[in-house]
Amino acid sequence: ARAAWLGGALPAHPGWLELADRAALGDTTLAETALGWQPRYDAATAVADLVAGLRSGAGAASAPLAPPRRDGVLGRLRSLTRVGPSHQSQA
């Protein structure tokens, strides 16, 4: 991930992957029993929605979540000529 980020192929800093790998999982039992809370989506539905969004090229306003650019092979090659990360380091 670090090599891809340094080469400009990965827009997100590799530290985000490390953070996701070490993220704590929460137990929702207390919220369910004490507050009557119920999740809107189960894990399978959330993953299915994520995959559908990736397949369709959906995105959001932030750079890491932006839809893929449609500028063809030449545009992609131009973007790879940058040296180093395309944004400020998070290190």
Side-chain angles (χ1 to χ4, degrees):
R2 182 166 293 283
W5 178 69
L6 289 172
L10 182 66
H13 187 275
W16 286 106
L17 295 175
E18 294 170 17
L19 178 67
D21 186 45
R22 295 182 182 140
L25 298 176
D27 183 3
T28 60
T29 304
L30 182 60
E32 292 172 7
T33 56
L35 303 173
W37 175 83
Q38 290 294 315
R40 283 189 221 161
Y41 307 100
D42 62 6
T45 302
V47 170
D49 286 349
L50 171 66
V51 171
L54 291 172
R55 283 186 180 150
S56 70
S62 67
L65 297 177
R69 295 179 6 199
R70 309 269 188 229
D71 51 359
V73 174
L74 187 58
R76 183 66 184 137
L77 289 174
R78 282 189 198 120
S79 72
L80 292 175
T81 60
R82 288 187 228 116
V83 176
S86 59
H87 57 284
Q88 181 179 357
S89 171
Q90 302 286 316

